[in-house]
């Protein structure tokens, strides 16, 4: 990192602070000694101007609409590789050779079963429980079943826990779906690839053979790749903060799932589809655009806008292409939801309100239409996001745990509450 510095003057005190440069992207001002030398904290709720860590995993250029995983553009990974190849890249830093890929696929595939007592764990949930509520509980419960991979100080246990998480998330998500619809759980099959296994665990029934549609499996695999990791987003930051306390990886991933569930984050794909269904027809779009612009109306155009992307989300473009592929494969000629989505995108991208605020479709805008066409209920959309993002969470967690300078995350605050006051007896209040 190149040596630069900046100085900050507050009152009579001037503080010199080192400025660090990364490989690409904005420099950072190292403010580590600011409090000790000035008695002041920085103040940045929402972390609009704050880098919380150093990382080598994912880089986003929001102005250019660029997303790189270990330097490789998401477009190339999505077009030429598969999800498990991206998993290998995120976890180990390099693309695998064919031998490494074969071994990784073999290993992940043979960790897809879950402890059979997990099926009894599911019995405790109401049938109509939201799959994300089930996933938070079930993934957190993995720590109760896999004690032999919870020691974060043991690199071997960390590696086993990583593989287990990537491998078992589809199985748990499929179990959450099957439990929801009252159908028996379907065990994974080792002769199927990752996405095909997931489709079969979700949609196969004991009464007949299930034939995986390779076009849908390829599309789902690409959707997993698009959602694998995304720098220091809210759920990844949650996983890092939980991990900084030394919590076991299953607990950290459960915390990430909980954060992802929010409608401003991973929950947007479910809400976005419900919004498109509520709009219903193209002629109703102006009413919803007006609501999205009305400061007195909490309604927002779901699937639009992003904290980092001030240009097209590169994943949204690939998702849009995938959406058309899936609809064509399923013979869905004119999906009214797709008509509404495309017209909504056209109108929003020409409306000054959205243009001035650089609000573009994000990864969630077309994913819901695609997943619905595949047969998933809207309540499963964020669970699928969690399946894909688990590898990103694990890679970021592993990077943090392996950082010799890592400390527990403990932000401070600007206190605006009551100053010191003495306790009054109840009769004098
Ligand atoms: C994901 O961080 C990641 O990387 C996340 C993610 C990942 O892969 O991990 O990419 C996945 O979470 C994608 C985002 C999914 N969320 C949605 O689609 C929900 C709708 N979008 C918004 O809630 C919003 O755009 C956020 C939360 C995504 C970003 O919010 P910011 O960066 O905090 O921006 P902001 O709320 O300060 O908005 C800036 C302005 C405001 O207007 P003004 O106060 O300037 O007048 O833009 C407006 C907002 O009101 N605005 C919107 C809007 N998004 C922002 N207005 C209408 N509709 C929207 N969707």
């Amino acid at each position: 990192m190149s040596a630069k510095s900046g100085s900050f003057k507050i009152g009579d005190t001037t503080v010199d602070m080192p400025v660090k440069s990364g490989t690409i992207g904005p420099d950072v001002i190292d403010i580590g000694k600011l409090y000790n030398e000035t008695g002041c904290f920085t103040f940045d709720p929402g972390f609009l101007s704050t880098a919380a860590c150093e990382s080598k995993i994912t880089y986003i250029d929001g102005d250019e609409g660029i997303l790189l995983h270990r330097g490789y553009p998401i477009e190339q990974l999505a077009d030429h590789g598969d999800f498990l190849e991206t998993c290998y890249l995120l976890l180990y830093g390099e693309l695998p050779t064919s031998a490494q890929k074969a071994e990784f696929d073999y290993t992940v595939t043979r960790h897809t079963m879950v402890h059979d007592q997990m099926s009894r764990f599911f019995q405790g949930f109401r049938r109509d429980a939201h799959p994300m509520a089930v996933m938070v509980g079930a993934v957190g419960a993995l720590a109760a079943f896999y004690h032999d991979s919870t020691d974060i100080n043991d690199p071997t246990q960390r590696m086993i826990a990583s593989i287990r998480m990537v491998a078992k998330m589809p199985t748990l998500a499929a179990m959450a779906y099957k439990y929801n619809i009252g159908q028996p759980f379907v065990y994974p099959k080792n002769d199927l690839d990752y996405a095909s296994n997931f489709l079969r665990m979700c949609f196969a029934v004991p009464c007949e053979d299930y034939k995986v549609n390779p076009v849908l499996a390829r599309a789902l695999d690409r959707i997993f790749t698009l959602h694998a990791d995304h720098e220091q987003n809210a759920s990844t930051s949650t996983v890092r903060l939980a991990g900084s306390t030394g919590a076991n990886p299953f607990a950290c991933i459960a915390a990430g799932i909980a954060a992802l569930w929010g409608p401003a984050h991973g929950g947007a794909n479910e809400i976005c589809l419900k919004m498109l269904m509520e709009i219903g027809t193209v002629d109703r779009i102006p009413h919803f655009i007006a609501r999205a612009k009305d400061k007195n109306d909490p309604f927002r155009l779901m699937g639009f806008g992003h904290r980092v992307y001030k240009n097209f989300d590169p994943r949204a473009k690939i998702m849009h292409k995938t959406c058309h592929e899936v609809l064509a494969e399923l013979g869905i000629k004119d999906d009214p939801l797709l008509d509404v989505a495309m017209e909504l995108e056209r109108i929003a991208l020409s409306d000054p309100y959205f243009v001035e605020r650089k609000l573009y479709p994000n990864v969630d805008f077309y994913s819901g239409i695609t997943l619905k066409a595949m047969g998933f209920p809207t309540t499963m959309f964020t669970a699928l996001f969690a399946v894909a993002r688990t590898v990103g969470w694990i890679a970021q967690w592993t990077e943090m745990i392996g950082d010799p300078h890592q400390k527990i995350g403990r932000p401070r605050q600007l206190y605006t509450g009551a100053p010191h006051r003495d306790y009054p007896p109840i009769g004098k209040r």
Side-chain angles (χ1 to χ4, degrees), residues 232-246:
Q232 306 310 319
N233 58 84
S235 54
T236 298
S237 299
T238 301
V239 171
R240 278 183 173 259
L241 197 56
S244 75
T245 71

Side-chain angles (χ1 to χ4, degrees), residues 268-320:
N269 53 17
E270 175 180 352
I271 312 290
C272 180
L273 192 90
K274 286 177 178 169
M275 175 192 75
L276 294 174
M277 293 165 84
E278 187 186 354
I279 294 173
T281 52
V282 167
D283 62 307
R284 282 165 48 85
I285 289 175
H287 167 68
F288 285 85
I289 293 268
R291 282 190 59 195
K293 293 157 65 171
D294 178 357
K295 288 303 165 208
N296 300 317
D297 188 333
F299 173 79
R300 285 198 164 179
L301 219 47
M302 302 312 282
F304 260 80
H306 198 277
R307 168 61 57 75
V308 176
Y309 288 122
K310 301 309 173 190
N311 194 325
F312 258 91
D313 180 335
R315 303 169 297 174
K317 292 181 185 173
I318 303 167
M319 184 60 76
H320 191 174

Side-chain angles (χ1 to χ4, degrees), residues 350-410:
S350 59
D351 184 301
Y353 174 92
F354 295 92
V355 173
E356 286 156 14
R357 291 166 179 79
K358 300 183 179 178
L359 302 176
Y360 290 88
N362 58 49
V363 68
D364 295 307
F365 190 61
Y366 285 103
S367 58
I369 299 170
T370 313
L371 297 175
K372 177 177 178 289
M374 286 182 167
F376 293 105
T378 53
T379 52
M380 277 295 290
F381 291 1
T382 310
L384 268 71
F385 194 151
V387 167
R389 184 53 56 88
T390 292
V391 67
W393 289 330
I394 282 285
Q396 301 271 352
W397 170 80
T398 305
E399 181 178 68
M400 178 203 61
I401 292 290
D403 177 355
H405 306 298
Q406 181 262 327
K407 298 169 78 67
I408 187 169
R410 205 303 188 186

